[in-house]
Amino acid sequence: MSSDSVTVYVVSDSAGDTGELAVRAAAAQFHPLQVHIRRVGFIQSREGIDAVLDMAASDKGILLYTLVIPRLREHMTTQAEARGIVTIDLLGPLIDNMERLFGRPSRHEPGLNHVLDAGYFRKVEAVEFAVRYDDARDVTGIMKADIVLTGVSRTSKTPLSMVLAHKTFKVANVPLVPELVPPKELFQVDPKKVIGLTIRTDALNAIRKERLKALGLPDSASYATTARIEQELEYAHGIMKKIGCVVIDVSSKAVEETASLILDHFQNG
């Protein structure tokens, strides 16, 4: 995060419209500061929250949330504090005060100001799918997915999965590591469903060094060396060529821009 820009993650157990509108209204007061908003809606589990916190930690972003389910609010509070991530609870204090004033508990039901139509539930299902099959933790998701993302570490696979899930696509992502054999399902799924993500060596070097700093580790670790990155990228390109999938270079691209390219590919390809 640079001094002239900041990324704000808007997290909700519903669509996230309320949080995004609030951030946009507040951000207008800080022009010319660039505020990049990444909305992650329909979070219904602690695992989903953990995935978003990982994203926020990786780029030193801040996080605003509109969670009305108590267990999710509590998990967000404790885990964000443990990771040193700045969070803003938009609805929690308001709901708590209204409960005291009205003398009754709230319903704690997300999405009450939205019509719960089929599209809403498709988004919820897609987000839950992205969390369940993130980082190849369950390779069976590869064959079930609408889109399969693959690439080396720090090529935005998880954030892209969340953005695409908000568009109702079920996304699985698979990391490529030279020391690990890719799951056989990656070569069995229709290659038209697979998107390979690549990046310039210098861009990935900078991202990984920032990640190591965020973890309190020296940026000289092998994970961020040019030699290691070149080895990983060469290996990944070989796998992508074997699959025969489309490859997108994410260097200098915002997650939303890459997501738009992927959507264009699937909707117009």
Side-chain angles (χ1 to χ4, degrees):
M1 182 175 65
S2 67
S3 59
D4 58 354
S5 70
V6 63
T7 299
V8 180
Y9 288 84
V10 176
V11 183
S12 176
D13 41 23
S14 182
D17 297 334
T18 301
E20 181 172 352
L21 287 172
V23 173
R24 290 194 183 282
Q29 302 298 319
F30 295 90
H31 182 76
L33 177 71
Q34 292 185 339
V35 178
H36 305 289
I37 300 174
R38 293 185 180 172
R39 184 166 69 173
V40 184
F42 309 103
I43 293 295
Q44 302 285 318
S45 67
R46 294 181 178 90
E47 291 79 10
I49 288 174
D50 290 340
V52 181
L53 288 171
D54 286 343
M55 288 187 269
S58 69
D59 58 12
K60 299 181 181 178
I62 64 176
L63 197 150
L64 178 141
Y65 59 96
T66 57
L67 301 171
V68 300
I69 301 175
R71 62 181 175 81
L72 296 184
R73 286 169 55 193
E74 292 169 7
H75 187 75
M76 175 69 82
T77 300
T78 57
Q79 292 303 308
E81 183 176 350
R83 301 174 191 222
I85 298 171
V86 176
T87 61
I88 302 167
D89 182 357
L90 187 63
L91 290 184
L94 179 59
I95 291 174
D96 291 344
N97 278 299
M98 292 178 79
E99 285 181 330
R100 284 193 293 271
L101 289 170
F102 300 157
R104 64 176 64 185
S106 72
R107 293 169 61 178
H108 302 305
E109 295 179 28
L112 292 180
N113 59 332
H114 293 275
V115 178
L116 301 185
D117 58 9
Y120 176 93
F121 290 106
R122 282 198 300 271
K123 289 180 182 180
V124 172
E125 186 178 4
V127 170
E128 290 178 343
F129 187 97
V131 171
R132 185 179 305 118
Y133 299 111
D134 180 52
D135 213 25
R137 64 182 68 183
D138 183 348
V139 297
T140 63
I142 296 172
M143 304 304 293
K144 303 173 186 175
D146 300 317
I147 301 173
V148 179
L149 304 177
T150 190
V152 302
S153 173
R154 314 314 297 177
T155 48
S156 301
K157 295 184 296 297
T158 297
L160 277 169
S161 296
M162 291 297 183
V163 172
L164 293 168
H166 196 73
K167 303 295 185 180
T168 73
F169 285 90
K170 293 180 179 179
V171 185
N173 73 73
V174 181
L176 295 178
V177 183
E179 290 78 15
L180 300 177
V181 177
K184 64 181 185 300
E185 290 84 357
L186 189 58
F187 304 100
Q188 295 172 343
V189 70
D190 185 347
K192 293 180 181 178
K193 291 186 176 183
V194 182
I195 298 292
L197 303 174
T198 189
I199 189 171
R200 294 193 319 270
T201 301
D202 62 316
L204 186 54
N205 177 262
I207 292 170
R208 288 190 174 183
K209 283 185 175 181
E210 284 300 315
R211 176 59 172 161
L212 289 171
K213 288 179 182 178
L215 294 173
L217 300 172
D219 62 11
S220 58
S222 62
Y223 174 72
T225 63
T226 297
R228 172 63 186 184
I229 290 172
E230 289 178 344
Q231 178 194 7
E232 288 187 35
L233 290 174
E234 182 178 0
Y235 170 76
H237 291 159
I239 296 295
M240 294 172 194
K241 184 176 181 180
K242 184 177 180 180
I243 295 170
C245 62
V246 168
V247 179
I248 296 177
D249 189 334
V250 301
S251 305
S252 304
K253 286 186 178 69
V255 171
E256 294 77 10
E257 183 181 357
T258 305
S260 180
L261 291 173
I262 294 172
L263 289 172
D264 285 344
H265 169 71
F266 280 92
Q267 293 171 347
N268 305 318

